[in-house]
Amino acid sequence: MRFPLLLISIILLLSCTLIPFTLSERCHPTDKRALLKLKKDIGNPYTWDPKSDCCDWSGVTCVERNNVTRVININLQGGGIVGPIPASIGNFPLLEYLTFHKQPQLTGPIQPAIAKLKNLYTLDISWTNVSGPVPDFLSQLTKLTYIDLSFNNLSGSIPSWPSKLPSLEYLDLSRNKLTGSIPETFSEFKTKKLSLFLSHNQLSGKIPASLGKVDFSRFDFSRNKLEGDASMFFGAKRNTTLWEVDLSRNLLEFDLSNVGLPDSLWYLDLNHNKITGGIPQSWATSQISRFNVSYNRLCGKIPVGGVLQDLDYSNYFHNKCLCGSPLPSC
């Protein structure tokens, strides 16, 4: 009789020791299995210890809701991943934030399994070597508010679907190899204070005039081959949330003489285009604090007032016949 009693005592002692450890682990077992599968598929670059709580793992964030803790954020930065994004990334149905950033050996197309992450708010695949088109399947992620696909090797044309996402506030497709024109449908963005970055691509053609109706907070279309007019973005009573604009290093050609600036605008870069006319007198009383109109075809005297004389002459030089402080007098 003493041996069974001793065995029972040992079992009770072990249970008292082990149960608190088990109960203290916040990580949902389904998420832990999915993370370990993901770790294996990306080449085990992270020290995710299977014996520890996955909610404490580097790059992993858990949140408790309704007494259940699940992984909502996977943030994989700083290198170590080799090859394409694995299909196992789609095994996190409650994921809200996904980041692959500064992973130079991450290659191949954007993984279609990402379309399974229906609760995703933020998708950041930037500073990698992923290639192929900007995929249409991302349009299925209707909760997205933030997309950063910058500094990659994406090619092809810009798809029309981003403007259909009802809550999208931030889209960065800059520094890729995208070609073609800016979609006309980009005038249909629903959100206010949109941030849109398309710089350092190979975009061409005219900017759709209808984009002047979009409630931008900032946009950057610089270093492309865009042509024609861009005056639709400006006007003293237009786009009162607009505060930063970069249209530099394109082939834009319009008359600046009657272009008013929204009161909210503080940064404007128009350098290296084919813009004509002169700097409007109204700019001297605007709220703008930084701008560059160099390397255009402007003429006339620079108005006096505001920050116009405080800026370095390099913000004005290499125009047709622009003069006045900080350039030489007329």
Side-chain angles (χ1 to χ4, degrees):
M1 291 293 293
R2 292 186 63 185
F3 178 76
L5 287 175
L6 180 60
L7 182 61
I8 292 171
S9 299
I10 292 172
I11 292 172
L12 288 174
L13 180 63
L14 287 173
S15 66
C16 290
T17 304
L18 293 175
I19 287 176
F21 174 79
T22 304
L23 292 178
S24 67
E25 182 163 341
R26 296 167 294 151
C27 184
H28 195 281
T30 301
D31 289 339
K32 191 167 192 175
R33 286 192 296 271
L35 284 167
L36 291 173
K37 177 68 166 65
L38 176 63
K39 178 189 177 186
K40 179 181 178 183
D41 291 346
I42 60 178
N44 296 299
Y46 300 99
T47 55
W48 291 351
D49 183 359
K51 297 179 181 178
S52 62
D53 190 338
C54 78
C55 294
D56 296 327
W57 292 353
S58 174
V60 177
T61 304
C62 302
V63 167
E64 180 182 342
R65 293 173 182 153
N66 300 319
N67 296 317
V68 178
T69 300
R70 301 301 299 263
V71 170
I72 65 158
N73 181 18
I74 297 176
N75 189 328
L76 305 178
Q77 299 195 37
I81 301 177
V82 178
I85 300 171
S88 54
I89 195 63
N91 295 335
F92 302 90
L94 299 180
L95 198 68
E96 298 178 4
Y97 309 94
L98 174 61
T99 299
F100 291 95
H101 179 64
K102 289 192 174 181
Q103 297 283 356
Q105 293 179 286
L106 188 67
T107 58
I110 295 176
Q111 170 59 241
I114 290 175
K116 296 164 64 177
L117 307 177
K118 303 299 185 183
N119 286 292
L120 212 59
Y121 292 108
T122 292
L123 175 62
D124 183 346
I125 304 174
S126 58
W127 294 74
T128 78
N129 271 303
V130 297
S131 56
V134 178
D136 288 339
F137 59 74
L138 295 180
S139 65
Q140 301 173 38
L141 305 178
T142 56
K143 292 185 179 182
L144 281 171
T145 63
Y146 181 105
I147 301 175
D148 187 351
L149 301 178
S150 64
F151 288 86
N152 292 305
N153 287 314
L154 300 174
S155 58
S157 59
I158 297 176
S160 60
W161 59 260
S163 60
K164 305 295 193 297
L165 295 177
S167 303
L168 190 65
E169 298 175 348
Y170 184 104
L171 175 62
D172 192 346
L173 301 177
S174 61
R175 295 186 183 261
N176 280 287
K177 299 176 181 177
L178 300 173
T179 56
S181 58
I182 299 175
E184 186 79 38
T185 54
F186 270 29
S187 63
E188 301 171 6
F189 279 101
K190 304 296 189 297
T191 51
K192 295 182 177 181
K193 301 182 179 181
L194 175 70
S195 295
L196 178 61
F197 304 95
L198 306 176
S199 71
H200 293 78
N201 279 291
Q202 301 165 25
L203 303 177
S204 58
K206 294 184 177 181
I207 301 173
S210 55
L211 261 66
K213 300 183 296 183
V214 177
D215 190 4
F216 287 108
S217 64
R218 51 186 174 153
F219 64 86
D220 185 351
F221 300 165
S222 66
R223 294 179 183 265
N224 283 289
K225 300 176 183 178
L226 299 171
E227 305 172 355
D229 192 10
S231 61
M232 76 288 284
F233 294 115
F234 306 107
K237 296 182 180 180
R238 182 179 295 220
N239 221 332
T240 56
T241 62
L242 184 64
W243 58 275
E244 182 176 328
V245 173
D246 193 342
L247 292 165
S248 64
R249 296 180 181 269
N250 278 289
L251 303 171
L252 299 172
E253 190 170 358
F254 60 95
D255 189 337
L256 194 66
S257 302
N258 297 312
V259 172
L261 300 179
D263 289 340
S264 56
L265 190 67
W266 72 273
Y267 179 88
L268 173 63
D269 196 344
L270 299 174
N271 82 77
H272 285 84
N273 280 289
K274 301 179 180 180
I275 300 170
T276 59
I279 297 175
Q281 181 63 44
S282 62
W283 286 29
T285 56
S286 71
Q287 300 300 311
I288 198 162
S289 59
R290 292 179 59 195
F291 77 91
N292 191 331
V293 293
S294 64
Y295 290 91
N296 279 287
R297 299 174 181 178
L298 299 174
C299 273
K301 185 178 181 179
I302 298 172
V304 177
V307 299
L308 301 190
Q309 279 65 53
D310 298 333
L311 296 173
D312 187 79
Y313 80 100
S314 61
N315 292 286
Y316 299 99
F317 68 0
H318 290 281
N319 273 286
K320 185 176 181 181
C321 49
L322 201 59
C323 59
S325 178
L327 293 179
S329 60
C330 297

